[in-house]
Amino acid sequence: MDKWFNKAIIYQVYPKSFNDTNNDGVGDIKGIIDKIGYLKGLGINTVWLNPIYISPQIDNGYDVSNYFAVDSSLGTMKDVETLIATLHNNGMKLIMDFVMNHTSDQHPWFKDAIQNPDSIYRNYYLWAKGKKDKKPNNWGSFFGGSVWEKVPQSDDYYFHLFDKHMPDLNWKNPEVQKAVTDIAKFWVKKGIDGLRLDAFIHIDKANFSQDYPANGNEKFPLAESFYANRYGVQKYLRYFVSELKKLNQNLFIVGEASSANVNLAVDYSLKSNQLCDSVITFRNFADDHSNSNKHLPDNFQPASLDVGKFRQKFAVWESNLEGISYPTLYWSNHDMARVATRYADPNRLEISLKTLATAMYLQKGLPIIYYGEEIGMQNLQFSDFSDFDDQTVKSFRENAIKQNYDKKQILDMLNATHKMSARGAMQWNDSKYHGFSNHIPWKNGKTTKTNVKTQLNETTSILNFYKKLFRVKQSDLFITGVETILNTNNQVFAYQRETSNESALVICNLSSSQETFNFDESAVGWKEIFNINNVNISSNRINLPAWGSIVLRKVDE
């Protein structure tokens, strides 16, 4: 396991929100190039870009209408070539997001397919006939409603797992397999170093004749068993990956396996299976919804971290992936609320964010930092429901009103949990638009004043802490060291990292109450690497103030 990416510290750039050099309110590729020095200084060695292809932007670039060109709002192909070259000249790598489950309905393939039933591209997509004026089956879309959209003046329906403007590709068709692989080859030949495979677990679907047996009155239930993690996924993916690795054996393939359990993660990343090198799962988080309103969906209700379940989940994942692949380690991304809003303590923001970072990123695995996380950026605060641009918000709002929530209460819940609130402009300084642009950002709302310029000059800032943390992360102990998660009380997350000649203890209090940790041995011989919030060691007992954490290292004689 000596590949370059096992030492990767990945920074996720949401291009539209990172840095705007032409002052149109939308970030661009040149803006990323301008900040490479900043990223390198932070300790980043790998950049992941969300989609930059030509797109109608129905789903912020995940609806691609031309895979071979860069969206003009973001720049040009020349800009991307410069970005690749500049990153490589700085010893850094580039991962591109790759959308392989679906296209935009404005893609030439689909436009021809829907206009002409005899088109050669008809079989590039998924179709079914209605049943007596009803949809082909009751499967639900991740974006709400049905997966089926009727073709006007026809009894034909096409399949869309996400928005109706994003029809799913038919991976059973060998021509689709080759065409999508050829697109990826185009970018590999450009010199990129890896691909993040968006929604790859959905490229195989069950027979459409089977309804999903729903519980309750849900009209279009999510039928994940019929369109996620099916056997065909591995078959199609193996061809795709093997073809790409003929071009670059060191290409990093990280798959978004959002609903995969640990056994599937092993299958997807086992070297002999020739699929992914690592996977991103959404199953590592554990929210405590004990105080949530049971009449409303959990996903839009704020929740605290259930530390006990979080510890269990990581123990299972770290143990099962040992010797197989490196897990991905992250607190935030473009599909969820920011960690500063989601889990941090607002009364101890800096301390809690430092401890959360320590708990996550010193584990065995690949850190993925969501832009702005390193300065404690929080979710935007929107004042209008339309800002969320999400049809599922409408039903949540209607249900919340029935539960006697007022507009402010509903907005507060959504602003604390929704993914769109996490996509605000990067806060570079304290100017009107945060140094991101001289123009109002494409997605705007109330923000806190945190920014890069101020934190660079504060030795104890979150930003400077991240720099120190990443320097520690690059040591062999925290890259290759075996991890053992310790069985502690419910608010302490602690683990040991070990190599043949040294050990580390990472002990984090993920709560606002005081906690203790007891050594099984004397504390003599252990030296502090970090001590957050004045953690005190007394003999073999560690006293952890609210959100206190400590990292200890010992070299074996």
Side-chain angles (χ1 to χ4, degrees):
M1 305 224 305
D2 57 349
K3 297 288 189 178
W4 67 264
F5 42 78
N6 291 332
K7 297 181 180 180
I9 296 179
I10 303 167
Y11 191 92
Q12 182 187 354
V13 171
Y14 199 74
K16 295 172 67 172
S17 299
F18 193 61
N19 188 28
D20 174 21
T21 59
N22 63 354
N23 291 310
D24 61 356
V26 179
D28 44 55
I29 305 299
K30 288 182 178 179
I32 302 169
I33 295 169
D34 283 352
K35 298 299 183 181
I36 288 175
Y38 165 77
L39 296 176
K40 187 174 182 179
L42 178 59
I44 300 301
N45 56 30
T46 308
V47 174
W48 156 28
L49 293 187
N50 288 99
I52 59 172
Y53 319 100
I54 290 179
S55 166
Q57 300 293 320
I58 296 296
D59 188 27
N60 294 291
Y62 284 92
D63 51 316
V64 182
S65 57
N66 184 350
Y67 286 88
F68 294 103
V70 178
D71 197 277
S72 59
S73 66
L74 301 175
T76 66
M77 186 63 75
K78 181 65 175 176
D79 294 335
V80 176
E81 291 166 352
T82 301
L83 173 64
I84 294 170
T86 308
L87 284 169
H88 288 172
N89 289 339
N90 281 275
M92 302 167 75
K93 308 288 188 180
L94 180 66
I95 299 170
M96 283 184 61
D97 227 315
F98 191 73
V99 186
M100 61 192 307
N101 175 71
H102 50 267
T103 70
S104 165
D105 62 357
Q106 298 305 302
H107 194 287
W109 294 344
F110 188 76
K111 290 174 74 173
D112 193 61
I114 203 165
Q115 290 167 5
N116 177 13
D118 297 321
S119 166
I120 61 171
Y121 296 111
R122 187 77 169 184
N123 198 34
Y124 275 44
Y125 296 90
L126 300 166
W127 310 85
K129 299 287 186 182
K131 298 177 178 179
K132 297 180 180 179
D133 296 326
K134 291 185 178 180
K135 299 181 187 298
N137 59 39
N138 71 340
W139 301 357
S141 160
F142 288 126
F143 280 20
S146 171
V147 297
W148 296 104
E149 182 68 15
K150 194 173 187 297
V151 179
Q153 288 83 50
S154 167
D155 61 350
D156 291 335
Y157 289 78
Y158 68 85
F159 186 101
H160 61 90
L161 196 49
F162 298 93
D163 189 274
K164 68 179 181 180
H165 297 289
M166 299 157 64
D168 281 41
L169 288 163
N170 176 19
W171 273 80
K172 289 184 173 68
N173 182 352
E175 293 180 11
V176 168
Q177 297 171 33
K178 184 178 186 306
V180 175
T181 304
D182 285 345
I183 294 167
K185 285 181 176 180
F186 170 83
W187 288 101
V188 174
K189 290 175 182 176
K190 284 285 181 185
I192 67 169
D193 304 285
L195 292 170
R196 180 256 188 194
L197 306 183
D198 177 69
F200 83 91
I201 61 174
H202 302 300
I203 59 177
D204 185 36
K205 279 84 171 175
N207 188 297
F208 295 146
S209 62
Q210 175 67 61
D211 271 351
Y212 186 76
N215 295 320
N217 299 318
E218 194 172 6
K219 188 175 181 180
F220 298 114
L222 291 180
E224 287 197 71
S225 298
F226 295 154
Y227 46 62
N229 298 304
R230 295 177 61 83
Y231 170 74
V233 170
Q234 297 190 36
K235 179 175 66 174
Y236 304 142
L237 190 61
R238 188 167 291 111
Y239 165 77
F240 175 85
V241 172
S242 64
E243 287 296 301
L244 296 183
K245 294 223 171 182
K246 290 177 183 177
L247 298 177
N248 178 2
Q249 191 61 40
N250 291 316
L251 190 73
F252 179 41
I253 303 292
V254 56
E256 184 208 14
S258 57
S259 60
N261 61 29
V262 69
N263 295 322
L264 279 167
V266 169
D267 286 346
Y268 288 141
S269 61
L270 188 65
K271 186 176 181 180
S272 60
N273 281 345
Q274 298 178 310
L275 302 171
C276 299
D277 296 299
S278 183
V279 296
I280 299 171
T281 178
F282 287 14
R283 293 291 178 92
N284 280 343
F285 296 103
D287 289 348
D288 179 2
H289 283 286
S290 59
N291 294 322
S292 296
N293 186 324
K294 303 306 179 186
H295 300 287
L296 294 175
D298 285 342
N299 60 321
F300 290 146
Q301 295 190 73
S304 59
L305 182 67
D306 187 324
V307 180
K309 289 181 180 178
F310 177 74
R311 182 170 55 245
Q312 289 172 354
K313 288 188 174 186
F314 263 97
V316 169
W317 279 77
E318 289 282 353
S319 175
N320 279 273
L321 289 177
E322 177 68 31
I324 304 296
S325 64
Y326 282 25
T328 51
L329 309 171
Y330 69 98
W331 280 119
S332 306
N333 63 37
H334 63 291
D335 279 332
M336 61 181 58
R338 288 184 171 275
V339 63
T341 299
R342 188 178 183 187
Y343 291 136
D345 184 339
N347 297 315
R348 303 175 181 86
L349 188 64
E350 286 197 15
I351 290 171
S352 60
L353 285 173
K354 290 175 182 178
T355 286
L356 286 164
T358 301
M360 181 64 79
Y361 300 131
L362 291 184
Q363 293 189 83
K364 189 168 187 175
L366 313 178
I368 304 179
I369 314 305
Y370 189 47
Y371 78 99
E373 175 188 329
E374 73 277 14
I375 58 169
M377 275 179 59
Q378 300 183 45
N379 275 17
L380 297 175
Q381 299 297 298
F382 296 138
S383 58
D384 193 275
F385 293 105
S386 63
D387 289 324
F388 297 101
D389 194 24
D390 181 352
Q391 61 182 328
T392 65
V393 164
K394 181 181 178 182
S395 59
F396 179 82
R397 178 187 178 189
E398 291 171 349
N399 289 334
I401 289 172
K402 291 177 183 177
Q403 296 297 314
N404 298 315
Y405 289 90
D406 61 28
K407 178 180 179 181
K408 182 181 183 305
Q409 290 172 315
I410 301 170
L411 280 171
D412 285 347
M413 285 192 287
L414 290 167
N415 282 323
T417 58
H418 202 279
K419 62 185 181 182
M420 289 306 296
S421 297
R423 300 180 184 182
M426 179 67 179
Q427 295 171 206
W428 296 105
N429 60 40
D430 58 2
S431 62
K432 184 176 181 180
Y433 298 126
H434 325 295
F436 163 76
S437 178
N438 292 330
H439 188 284
I440 186 171
W442 72 279
K443 187 57 68 176
N444 198 40
K446 291 183 179 179
T447 65
T448 59
K449 293 182 179 180
T450 186
N451 65 81
V452 170
K453 183 179 179 180
T454 299
Q455 291 203 23
L456 280 172
N457 297 320
E458 296 176 351
T459 56
T460 60
S461 68
I462 305 170
L463 175 58
N464 282 312
F465 176 79
Y466 265 71
K467 289 183 179 183
K468 295 174 184 175
L469 185 69
F470 292 154
R471 286 198 293 270
V472 171
K473 177 65 179 179
Q474 287 292 285
S475 66
D476 287 342
L477 177 59
F478 289 104
I479 294 175
T480 63
V482 173
E483 177 172 349
T484 303
I485 293 180
L486 305 178
N487 190 18
T488 60
N489 70 48
N490 277 348
Q491 300 306 313
V492 175
F493 184 72
Y495 52 93
Q496 190 158 352
R497 300 295 306 271
E498 293 180 289
T499 64
S500 59
N501 66 336
E502 59 181 337
S503 304
L505 274 173
V506 181
I507 305 163
C508 303
N509 177 9
L510 302 182
S511 77
S512 57
S513 60
Q514 183 168 321
E515 300 288 345
T516 59
F517 176 88
N518 293 318
F519 267 118
D520 290 334
E521 56 181 286
S522 169
V524 174
W526 292 90
K527 295 184 178 180
E528 288 186 11
I529 299 177
F530 288 126
N531 187 330
I532 300 166
N533 204 22
N534 299 313
V535 172
N536 172 260
I537 301 178
S538 176
S539 183
N540 64 343
R541 180 185 179 94
I542 297 180
N543 300 304
L544 299 153
W547 291 99
S549 56
I550 192 167
V551 180
L552 301 169
R553 175 177 174 267
K554 181 171 68 173
V555 177
D556 298 331
E557 299 298 334

